Amino acid sequence: MNQSSQVSVQLRWISACYFFFFAILGVMVPYLGVFFENRGFNPQEIGFLLAILMATRIIAPNIWAMVADKTGMRSQLVKWGAAAAAVSYLSFFHDGSFTYLAISLSIYTFFWNAILAQLEVITLETLGENTARYGSIRSFGSLGYLVFVVSVGFAISLWGTEILPYIGMLLFVGLLISALPLPSDRVVVKHRAEKPKLKIDRAIFWFLVSAVLLQMSAGPFYGFFVLYLKQSGYSEAIAGIYVAFGVLAEILMFMLAPRLLGRFGVNRLLIISLGFTGVRWLLMAYCVDNFLLLGVSQLLHAFTFGLVHAASIQFVHGYFDISHRSKGQALYASLSFGVGGAMGTWLCGMIWGDGSGASLAWVAAAVCAFLAMLAIFLIPQKKH
């Protein structure tokens, strides 16, 4: 098998890893809130449990990135993480107390959240100079999210929320099977004396501030979107269709992202996307009863996640030296999805209360999105 064929095969398995990783996210993010509510937990407890899902992204990616940059064992770490996540997920089947579920979530999400940063680096290094193909590879993750966010919504309507652990287990096994064929070649690691020091300059600092604020703004969406729609009279199945509509828009944006990035640049697209995100959360606050405007708000997911993520991955890949790329992707993942996601979900749970504070939570999310947009203006243009 020639090198081109080997790369094509590897990219297919990487695509499968993205599919199952984000399919798991499609089960956890929209429906865990409903799952915990049916287990008898209140909104504050649900917000805390969902914050754990985000908080393990703070620690796990950075620990594994240090190991990856030191040893070059990126593919092996993905495999070990997938195996450990699948085994530890078995603990989630037990109908335990609040403390038990908090511990269970902490363990299996630690291993699961450690995978993505390494997978991003493996993808970009496999693509080499052809990084424009990143969007098409990453779109398989969006496809996995799309398929399962719809199917799980209907599954819950038919069999109830206790179906979630079984679906989750199936997906964790699928992720492990997809990770095993990844080549175990070690990346050549520079001697410590040859490595440039990792520097957080002004551009990286304001980019990370913006990323944290964006994910804080997404707290109501990731933690309470389905509950919010249920509160407004929609079913889980209809909520799943709305989520899927947003992910479909995201997939299309991933296809367009390389062309847009080449024409307009990272900074400009981040500013536009974050502005649309602020508008999206305001639509959620005041127009949830209008099914057309609710659809428009989901269509804007193409900017909130699709274009923002594609631009952010390119930003990290361009601003971090090759010897620090695992750390760069981990830093981006842990601070944005970890710190920002955990803070956003936890604060949303506090504001939400018994549901009467739902609109205020979405307004607070819009403020965070607009602040994230302002942070991008403070990033100096990179000179090539």
Short mmCIF file of all heavy atoms in Angstrom, two decimals, residues 224-264:
data_model
loop_
_atom_site.label_atom_id
_atom_site.label_comp_id
_atom_site.label_asym_id
_atom_site.label_seq_id
_atom_site.Cartn_x
_atom_site.Cartn_y
_atom_site.Cartn_z
N PHE A 224 -29.56 23.08 29.07
CA PHE A 224 -30.98 23.23 29.36
C PHE A 224 -31.87 23.42 28.14
O PHE A 224 -33.05 23.72 28.27
CB PHE A 224 -31.18 24.42 30.31
CG PHE A 224 -30.61 24.19 31.69
CD1 PHE A 224 -29.27 24.48 31.95
CD2 PHE A 224 -31.39 23.68 32.70
CE1 PHE A 224 -28.74 24.27 33.21
CE2 PHE A 224 -30.87 23.46 33.96
CZ PHE A 224 -29.54 23.75 34.23
N PHE A 225 -31.32 23.26 26.93
CA PHE A 225 -32.09 23.53 25.72
C PHE A 225 -33.35 22.65 25.63
O PHE A 225 -34.46 23.14 25.41
CB PHE A 225 -31.22 23.33 24.47
CG PHE A 225 -31.94 23.57 23.18
CD1 PHE A 225 -32.30 24.85 22.79
CD2 PHE A 225 -32.27 22.51 22.34
CE1 PHE A 225 -32.96 25.09 21.60
CE2 PHE A 225 -32.92 22.74 21.14
CZ PHE A 225 -33.27 24.02 20.77
N VAL A 226 -33.19 21.33 25.81
CA VAL A 226 -34.33 20.43 25.72
C VAL A 226 -35.34 20.71 26.83
O VAL A 226 -36.55 20.72 26.60
CB VAL A 226 -33.87 18.96 25.74
CG1 VAL A 226 -35.07 18.02 25.77
CG2 VAL A 226 -33.01 18.66 24.51
N LEU A 227 -34.83 20.95 28.05
CA LEU A 227 -35.74 21.29 29.16
C LEU A 227 -36.50 22.58 28.86
O LEU A 227 -37.69 22.70 29.18
CB LEU A 227 -34.94 21.44 30.45
CG LEU A 227 -34.45 20.15 31.13
CD1 LEU A 227 -33.58 20.49 32.33
CD2 LEU A 227 -35.61 19.29 31.55
N TYR A 228 -35.82 23.54 28.24
CA TYR A 228 -36.45 24.83 27.90
C TYR A 228 -37.57 24.63 26.89
O TYR A 228 -38.65 25.21 27.02
CB TYR A 228 -35.37 25.76 27.34
CG TYR A 228 -35.82 27.17 27.05
CD1 TYR A 228 -36.45 27.95 28.01
CD2 TYR A 228 -35.60 27.75 25.80
CE1 TYR A 228 -36.85 29.26 27.74
CE2 TYR A 228 -35.97 29.04 25.52
CZ TYR A 228 -36.61 29.80 26.49
OH TYR A 228 -36.98 31.09 26.21
N LEU A 229 -37.30 23.78 25.88
CA LEU A 229 -38.34 23.53 24.88
C LEU A 229 -39.50 22.74 25.48
O LEU A 229 -40.66 22.97 25.14
CB LEU A 229 -37.75 22.79 23.68
CG LEU A 229 -36.74 23.55 22.82
CD1 LEU A 229 -36.51 22.85 21.50
CD2 LEU A 229 -37.16 24.99 22.57
N LYS A 230 -39.19 21.80 26.38
CA LYS A 230 -40.27 21.07 27.07
C LYS A 230 -41.13 22.03 27.89
O LYS A 230 -42.36 21.95 27.89
CB LYS A 230 -39.67 20.00 27.99
CG LYS A 230 -39.26 18.71 27.30
CD LYS A 230 -38.84 17.67 28.32
CE LYS A 230 -40.00 17.25 29.19
NZ LYS A 230 -39.61 16.23 30.19
N GLN A 231 -40.45 22.98 28.55
CA GLN A 231 -41.15 23.98 29.35
C GLN A 231 -42.04 24.85 28.48
O GLN A 231 -43.08 25.36 28.93
CB GLN A 231 -40.10 24.84 30.07
CG GLN A 231 -40.63 25.96 30.93
CD GLN A 231 -39.50 26.76 31.57
OE1 GLN A 231 -38.58 26.20 32.17
NE2 GLN A 231 -39.54 28.07 31.43
N SER A 232 -41.67 24.99 27.19
CA SER A 232 -42.43 25.82 26.26
C SER A 232 -43.45 25.02 25.46
O SER A 232 -44.06 25.55 24.53
CB SER A 232 -41.47 26.53 25.29
OG SER A 232 -40.55 27.32 26.01
N GLY A 233 -43.59 23.72 25.79
CA GLY A 233 -44.63 22.91 25.17
C GLY A 233 -44.19 21.98 24.06
O GLY A 233 -45.03 21.33 23.43
N TYR A 234 -42.88 21.89 23.79
CA TYR A 234 -42.38 20.98 22.75
C TYR A 234 -42.06 19.62 23.37
O TYR A 234 -41.74 19.52 24.55
CB TYR A 234 -41.13 21.54 22.09
CG TYR A 234 -41.32 22.88 21.40
CD1 TYR A 234 -41.13 24.08 22.09
CD2 TYR A 234 -41.68 22.95 20.06
CE1 TYR A 234 -41.29 25.31 21.47
CE2 TYR A 234 -41.84 24.18 19.43
CZ TYR A 234 -41.65 25.35 20.14
OH TYR A 234 -41.80 26.56 19.51
N SER A 235 -42.08 18.57 22.56
CA SER A 235 -41.70 17.23 23.03
C SER A 235 -40.20 17.01 22.85
O SER A 235 -39.52 17.78 22.16
CB SER A 235 -42.46 16.16 22.24
OG SER A 235 -42.03 16.14 20.88
N GLU A 236 -39.68 15.91 23.46
CA GLU A 236 -38.26 15.59 23.29
C GLU A 236 -37.92 15.32 21.83
O GLU A 236 -36.86 15.69 21.33
CB GLU A 236 -37.86 14.37 24.13
CG GLU A 236 -37.78 14.61 25.62
CD GLU A 236 -39.08 14.25 26.32
OE1 GLU A 236 -40.12 14.17 25.62
OE2 GLU A 236 -39.05 14.06 27.55
N ALA A 237 -38.85 14.66 21.11
CA ALA A 237 -38.62 14.34 19.70
C ALA A 237 -38.51 15.62 18.86
O ALA A 237 -37.61 15.75 18.02
CB ALA A 237 -39.73 13.45 19.17
N ILE A 238 -39.40 16.57 19.09
CA ILE A 238 -39.34 17.85 18.36
C ILE A 238 -38.08 18.62 18.73
O ILE A 238 -37.43 19.23 17.87
CB ILE A 238 -40.59 18.69 18.66
CG1 ILE A 238 -41.85 17.98 18.16
CG2 ILE A 238 -40.48 20.07 18.02
CD1 ILE A 238 -41.86 17.71 16.67
N ALA A 239 -37.72 18.58 20.02
CA ALA A 239 -36.48 19.25 20.46
C ALA A 239 -35.28 18.65 19.75
O ALA A 239 -34.37 19.37 19.32
CB ALA A 239 -36.33 19.13 21.97
N GLY A 240 -35.27 17.31 19.62
CA GLY A 240 -34.18 16.65 18.92
C GLY A 240 -34.09 17.07 17.46
O GLY A 240 -33.00 17.24 16.91
N ILE A 241 -35.24 17.27 16.82
CA ILE A 241 -35.26 17.71 15.43
C ILE A 241 -34.68 19.12 15.31
O ILE A 241 -33.91 19.42 14.38
CB ILE A 241 -36.69 17.65 14.87
CG1 ILE A 241 -37.12 16.20 14.71
CG2 ILE A 241 -36.78 18.38 13.53
CD1 ILE A 241 -38.57 16.02 14.34
N TYR A 242 -35.03 20.00 16.26
CA TYR A 242 -34.47 21.35 16.24
C TYR A 242 -32.95 21.32 16.42
O TYR A 242 -32.21 22.05 15.75
CB TYR A 242 -35.12 22.22 17.32
CG TYR A 242 -36.36 22.94 16.85
CD1 TYR A 242 -37.61 22.63 17.37
CD2 TYR A 242 -36.28 23.95 15.90
CE1 TYR A 242 -38.76 23.30 16.94
CE2 TYR A 242 -37.41 24.62 15.46
CZ TYR A 242 -38.64 24.29 15.98
OH TYR A 242 -39.77 24.95 15.54
N VAL A 243 -32.47 20.49 17.35
CA VAL A 243 -31.02 20.36 17.55
C VAL A 243 -30.38 19.85 16.26
O VAL A 243 -29.33 20.34 15.83
CB VAL A 243 -30.71 19.42 18.73
CG1 VAL A 243 -29.20 19.17 18.83
CG2 VAL A 243 -31.21 20.01 20.04
N ALA A 244 -31.01 18.85 15.65
CA ALA A 244 -30.47 18.28 14.41
C ALA A 244 -30.42 19.31 13.30
O ALA A 244 -29.49 19.33 12.49
CB ALA A 244 -31.33 17.09 13.98
N PHE A 245 -31.41 20.20 13.25
CA PHE A 245 -31.42 21.25 12.24
C PHE A 245 -30.19 22.14 12.39
O PHE A 245 -29.55 22.53 11.40
CB PHE A 245 -32.71 22.06 12.39
CG PHE A 245 -32.87 23.15 11.37
CD1 PHE A 245 -32.90 22.86 10.01
CD2 PHE A 245 -33.00 24.48 11.76
CE1 PHE A 245 -33.05 23.87 9.07
CE2 PHE A 245 -33.15 25.49 10.82
CZ PHE A 245 -33.17 25.18 9.47
N GLY A 246 -29.85 22.45 13.63
CA GLY A 246 -28.67 23.26 13.88
C GLY A 246 -27.40 22.55 13.47
O GLY A 246 -26.48 23.14 12.90
N VAL A 247 -27.32 21.25 13.75
CA VAL A 247 -26.13 20.48 13.40
C VAL A 247 -26.01 20.34 11.89
O VAL A 247 -24.90 20.34 11.34
CB VAL A 247 -26.16 19.09 14.09
CG1 VAL A 247 -24.94 18.27 13.69
CG2 VAL A 247 -26.20 19.26 15.61
N LEU A 248 -27.14 20.21 11.20
CA LEU A 248 -27.10 20.15 9.74
C LEU A 248 -26.52 21.44 9.16
O LEU A 248 -25.69 21.42 8.24
CB LEU A 248 -28.51 19.92 9.20
CG LEU A 248 -28.64 19.77 7.67
CD1 LEU A 248 -27.84 18.56 7.19
CD2 LEU A 248 -30.11 19.62 7.28
N ALA A 249 -26.92 22.57 9.74
CA ALA A 249 -26.34 23.85 9.32
C ALA A 249 -24.85 23.90 9.61
O ALA A 249 -24.06 24.43 8.82
CB ALA A 249 -27.06 25.00 10.05
N GLU A 250 -24.46 23.31 10.75
CA GLU A 250 -23.04 23.24 11.12
C GLU A 250 -22.24 22.43 10.10
O GLU A 250 -21.14 22.82 9.71
CB GLU A 250 -22.94 22.61 12.50
CG GLU A 250 -21.54 22.25 12.96
CD GLU A 250 -21.58 21.36 14.19
OE1 GLU A 250 -22.37 21.65 15.11
OE2 GLU A 250 -20.83 20.37 14.22
N ILE A 251 -22.80 21.29 9.66
CA ILE A 251 -22.11 20.45 8.67
C ILE A 251 -21.89 21.21 7.37
O ILE A 251 -20.80 21.18 6.78
CB ILE A 251 -22.92 19.16 8.42
CG1 ILE A 251 -22.92 18.28 9.67
CG2 ILE A 251 -22.33 18.38 7.24
CD1 ILE A 251 -23.84 17.08 9.57
N LEU A 252 -22.92 21.90 6.91
CA LEU A 252 -22.79 22.69 5.69
C LEU A 252 -21.74 23.78 5.84
O LEU A 252 -20.97 24.06 4.91
CB LEU A 252 -24.15 23.29 5.32
CG LEU A 252 -25.24 22.29 4.95
CD1 LEU A 252 -26.58 23.00 4.73
CD2 LEU A 252 -24.86 21.51 3.70
N MET A 253 -21.69 24.39 7.04
CA MET A 253 -20.69 25.42 7.28
C MET A 253 -19.27 24.85 7.26
O MET A 253 -18.33 25.49 6.76
CB MET A 253 -20.96 26.11 8.61
CG MET A 253 -19.96 27.24 8.92
SD MET A 253 -19.93 28.53 7.64
CE MET A 253 -21.41 29.45 8.06
N PHE A 254 -19.09 23.65 7.80
CA PHE A 254 -17.77 23.02 7.75
C PHE A 254 -17.31 22.84 6.31
O PHE A 254 -16.11 22.93 6.02
CB PHE A 254 -17.79 21.67 8.46
CG PHE A 254 -17.50 21.74 9.94
CD1 PHE A 254 -18.35 21.15 10.86
CD2 PHE A 254 -16.38 22.40 10.41
CE1 PHE A 254 -18.09 21.21 12.22
CE2 PHE A 254 -16.11 22.48 11.77
CZ PHE A 254 -16.97 21.89 12.67
N MET A 255 -18.24 22.56 5.42
CA MET A 255 -17.89 22.40 4.00
C MET A 255 -17.47 23.73 3.38
O MET A 255 -16.59 23.78 2.52
CB MET A 255 -19.09 21.82 3.23
CG MET A 255 -19.54 20.46 3.72
SD MET A 255 -18.23 19.21 3.62
CE MET A 255 -19.12 17.77 4.23
N LEU A 256 -18.11 24.81 3.82
CA LEU A 256 -17.80 26.14 3.27
C LEU A 256 -16.62 26.81 3.96
O LEU A 256 -16.02 27.73 3.41
CB LEU A 256 -19.03 27.05 3.42
CG LEU A 256 -20.27 26.68 2.60
CD1 LEU A 256 -21.45 27.58 3.01
CD2 LEU A 256 -19.99 26.81 1.11
N ALA A 257 -16.28 26.34 5.18
CA ALA A 257 -15.28 27.03 6.01
C ALA A 257 -13.93 27.23 5.33
O ALA A 257 -13.38 28.34 5.43
CB ALA A 257 -15.11 26.29 7.34
N PRO A 258 -13.35 26.23 4.64
CA PRO A 258 -12.04 26.46 4.03
C PRO A 258 -12.04 27.63 3.06
O PRO A 258 -11.11 28.45 3.05
CB PRO A 258 -11.75 25.13 3.31
CG PRO A 258 -12.54 24.11 4.05
CD PRO A 258 -13.79 24.83 4.49
N ARG A 259 -13.10 27.73 2.24
CA ARG A 259 -13.18 28.82 1.28
C ARG A 259 -13.34 30.17 1.99
O ARG A 259 -12.71 31.17 1.62
CB ARG A 259 -14.37 28.58 0.34
CG ARG A 259 -14.44 29.52 -0.84
CD ARG A 259 -15.59 29.13 -1.76
NE ARG A 259 -15.44 27.76 -2.24
CZ ARG A 259 -16.37 27.13 -2.96
NH1 ARG A 259 -17.50 27.75 -3.27
NH2 ARG A 259 -16.16 25.91 -3.37
N LEU A 260 -14.18 30.19 3.04
CA LEU A 260 -14.39 31.44 3.78
C LEU A 260 -13.13 31.87 4.51
O LEU A 260 -12.79 33.07 4.54
CB LEU A 260 -15.54 31.25 4.77
CG LEU A 260 -16.93 31.02 4.17
CD1 LEU A 260 -17.93 30.70 5.26
CD2 LEU A 260 -17.38 32.25 3.37
N LEU A 261 -12.42 30.90 5.12
CA LEU A 261 -11.19 31.23 5.83
C LEU A 261 -10.13 31.79 4.89
O LEU A 261 -9.40 32.72 5.23
CB LEU A 261 -10.66 30.00 6.56
CG LEU A 261 -11.43 29.58 7.82
CD1 LEU A 261 -11.06 28.16 8.24
CD2 LEU A 261 -11.15 30.55 8.96
N GLY A 262 -10.05 31.18 3.70
CA GLY A 262 -9.07 31.66 2.73
C GLY A 262 -9.37 33.06 2.23
O GLY A 262 -8.46 33.82 1.91
N ARG A 263 -10.65 33.41 2.20
CA ARG A 263 -11.03 34.71 1.65
C ARG A 263 -11.06 35.82 2.70
O ARG A 263 -10.62 36.94 2.44
CB ARG A 263 -12.40 34.61 0.98
CG ARG A 263 -12.86 35.89 0.32
CD ARG A 263 -14.12 35.69 -0.49
NE ARG A 263 -14.54 36.93 -1.13
CZ ARG A 263 -15.62 37.05 -1.90
NH1 ARG A 263 -16.39 35.99 -2.12
NH2 ARG A 263 -15.94 38.21 -2.45
N PHE A 264 -11.59 35.51 3.89
CA PHE A 264 -11.82 36.55 4.88
C PHE A 264 -10.88 36.50 6.08
O PHE A 264 -10.77 37.49 6.81
CB PHE A 264 -13.27 36.49 5.38
CG PHE A 264 -14.29 36.70 4.30
CD1 PHE A 264 -15.03 35.65 3.81
CD2 PHE A 264 -14.49 37.96 3.75
CE1 PHE A 264 -15.97 35.84 2.81
CE2 PHE A 264 -15.42 38.17 2.75
CZ PHE A 264 -16.16 37.10 2.27
#
